[in-house]
Amino acid sequence: MSGNERVIKEFRENNGKVGGVFEGVPLVLLTTAGRRTGRPHTTPVVRLRDGVRHLVFASNGGGPKHPEWYHNLLASPQVTMETGTDEGHVKPFATRAVVLEGEERDRLYERQCLVNPAFRDYRERTDRVIPVVALHPLDLAADSERNRMIGRQLVVHHDELRAELAEVRAAVAAARAGAAAPRPTPGLTRQLHRRCLTFCYGLQLHHTREDGSFTAFEQHFPHLAPVITRLREEHKAVEEALARLEQVLQASDEDLAGVGAELDRVLDGLEEHFAYEEAHLLPALGTPRPS
Ligand SMILES: [Fe+2]
Ligand SMILES: [Fe+2]
């Protein structure tokens, strides 16, 4: 386990509190979309509250380069932020990242230096202007055009995932046929593995972002609480199933019978999950269900 992974684990197990060098420092976890792989990328960062916004600083400890998470959020500003709560456990929040500029950036960096003098050292160690990023939590309060747009985006993402899912099924069929042929085609399992990985990263990212937006759903649509609980549990079950599937794909190079059965179960469950999610979340957002 890397140092970052240990901090993340401790953070999640202790309502956002971490000992050692981070003792007493207010931290949050940011999950961004890896800009090359699309894979979710989680990292702990120092946070400063500013009204409803949360400020984070791409200091990289005063290093010469911007941290990966900063490049990632420039490419895709939808960021999931995890933070400790009064309820005693860490919660994820969907946020939109905005990079601050000029006087506002300078003033808020200065405020952070007053709170935590290490940020003065970081500034002195680097020629970079250390970026300051404001994270705006998703607010579903008003029955608005924005809510309807969020609903439409949900359907667009599900349709993309459904299309990829069909391609994964086709790759399984091709790999099975290749393996059963008199002269098996080499490399089909590897191709299937690659296809599955691309699909898994996309799905993991979709679920990570949804887990964050569910916190806003719970806040604004209390009647959906049992639905959200079920959806969160399904996300966990899917993640576990994908991890098992990955193991199977790595272990059985040419034995595709086991892969097929496991994969069919995961994919069938996913299609039901998408449908259930749309059936319950779209009416709350005021978005008409696709016919
Ligand atoms: Fe979901
Ligand atoms: Fe979804």
Side-chain angles (χ1 to χ4, degrees), residues 154 157-158 161 203 206-207 210 214 231 235 273-274 277-278 281:
L154 176 77
H157 288 150
H158 281 181
L161 289 165
L203 184 65
H206 177 71
H207 281 181
E210 269 179 356
F214 287 166
L231 290 171
H235 285 186
H273 173 80
F274 294 157
E277 205 158 58
E278 288 174 10
L281 301 190

Side-chain angles (χ1 to χ4, degrees), residues 46-120:
V46 175
R47 173 267 303 269
L48 179 68
R49 301 281 312 235
D50 182 44
V52 294
R53 307 189 299 183
H54 303 260
L55 306 178
V56 292
F57 307 86
S59 66
N60 206 12
K65 289 185 178 159
H66 293 319
E68 281 296 302
W69 62 261
Y70 177 70
H71 290 292
N72 288 347
L73 70 75
L74 288 183
S76 177
Q78 277 179 277
V79 177
T80 305
M81 180 190 74
E82 288 168 75
T83 173
T85 64
D86 294 342
E87 293 154 56
H89 59 91
V90 167
K91 270 191 175 182
F93 293 83
T95 75
R96 186 174 45 85
V98 177
V99 178
L100 301 183
E101 310 266 352
E103 181 278 330
E104 186 183 29
R105 179 252 158 230
D106 297 347
R107 177 169 47 83
L108 293 169
Y109 193 87
E110 205 51 50
R111 196 201 291 174
Q112 175 61 7
C113 292
L114 292 174
V115 174
N116 184 341
F119 281 77
R120 259 187 213 121

